Amino acid sequence: MKTDIVLAGVGGQGILSIATILGVAALKEGLNIKQAEVHGMSQRGGDVQSTLRISSSPIHSDLIPSGKADLIVSLEPMEALRYLPSLSPEGWIVTSSEPFINIPNYPELEEIEKELEKSGNVIAFNMEEMAKEVASSRSSNMVLLGAASHFIDITADKIEDAIKRVFSSKGDAIVDANLKAFRAGREKADSFIAK
């Protein structure tokens, strides 16, 4: 078992929380992990990227070779596009369809969508809107994690256990909101996979 994941977004969206949760779940499963992070800016709005390699075998590097990622997980469509060269031909893109326009020359959304669709394996929907419906807009990263969880070789219940562990210090209401968001994203992804 091996899953190479590129996590992408902008500062403040919770990409690194996803990496933490997956790391906790992987370790609980007795899996090997390697992670690397790149922060464009430490404040809200700068690009953030993390690579996460999960395997049942030893991992010798935290770097994912170009064209070998199994999964791009992004809370922002342009950030998903930025890392498209990392994706393997069979890989999946799971991204929010809602742009976070933080630069003056942000590309046309239709052009981004066309480029992403060329990969053939895309799940894209408005994750912030779904998070607001089921929990809170601050839980959109958990909607993303739920949608992406279909392509990660860790069971959903183990990921949910990790969500509980990571957010337990923030109280039961926060844990419950994040679990609801995770489950909603997972359920929404079913409709894309069934196509």
Side-chain angles (χ1 to χ4, degrees):
M1 183 294 272
K2 174 195 73 71
T3 308
D4 287 341
I5 307 167
V6 175
L7 300 163
V10 296
Q13 288 187 308
I15 289 297
L16 300 180
S17 293
I18 292 174
T20 300
I21 289 164
L22 288 175
V24 167
L27 290 174
K28 190 82 172 164
E29 286 280 279
L31 298 170
N32 297 292
I33 62 168
K34 293 269 186 186
Q35 180 185 358
E37 298 172 4
V38 176
H39 306 266
M41 293 187 338
S42 60
Q43 64 190 34
R44 178 175 284 278
D47 63 314
V48 175
Q49 180 258 342
S50 179
T51 57
L52 187 61
R53 305 187 80 189
I54 304 170
S55 178
S56 54
S57 304
I59 305 166
H60 302 291
S61 173
D62 56 11
L63 300 176
I64 300 171
S66 181
K68 298 293 186 182
D70 300 299
L71 186 58
I72 294 175
V73 178
S74 180
L75 266 166
E76 209 290 321
M78 187 184 76
E79 293 300 322
L81 180 63
R82 181 191 310 263
Y83 296 102
L84 200 54
S86 300
L87 192 65
S88 76
E90 310 80 36
W92 279 83
I93 299 165
V94 181
T95 184
S96 181
S97 59
E98 190 64 20
F100 185 102
I101 301 175
N102 57 348
I103 56 173
N105 56 346
Y106 193 95
E108 290 294 323
L109 187 56
E110 296 79 26
E111 293 302 313
I112 295 172
E113 289 168 348
K114 280 184 198 172
E115 287 301 313
L116 293 176
E117 285 296 331
K118 287 179 184 177
S119 78
N121 296 327
V122 180
I123 294 176
F125 61 93
N126 189 330
M127 296 180 183
E128 187 170 316
E129 185 176 281
M130 175 170 278
K132 284 179 190 173
E133 288 172 16
V134 299
S136 146
S137 63
R138 294 187 53 84
S139 300
S140 58
N141 61 335
M142 292 300 103
V143 172
L144 176 66
L145 178 57
S149 66
H150 289 280
F151 310 104
I152 301 167
D153 288 326
I154 300 174
T155 62
D157 62 312
K158 297 293 186 206
I159 297 173
E160 287 192 14
D161 288 345
I163 291 169
K164 291 173 190 171
R165 290 184 65 193
V166 168
F167 291 110
S168 64
S169 65
K170 298 185 183 232
D172 291 343
I174 300 294
V175 169
D176 291 343
N178 283 297
L179 289 171
K180 282 180 190 170
F182 173 81
R183 291 168 186 156
R186 188 165 169 83
E187 186 176 318
K188 178 72 173 179
D190 287 337
S191 62
F192 287 87
I193 297 166
K195 291 180 183 176

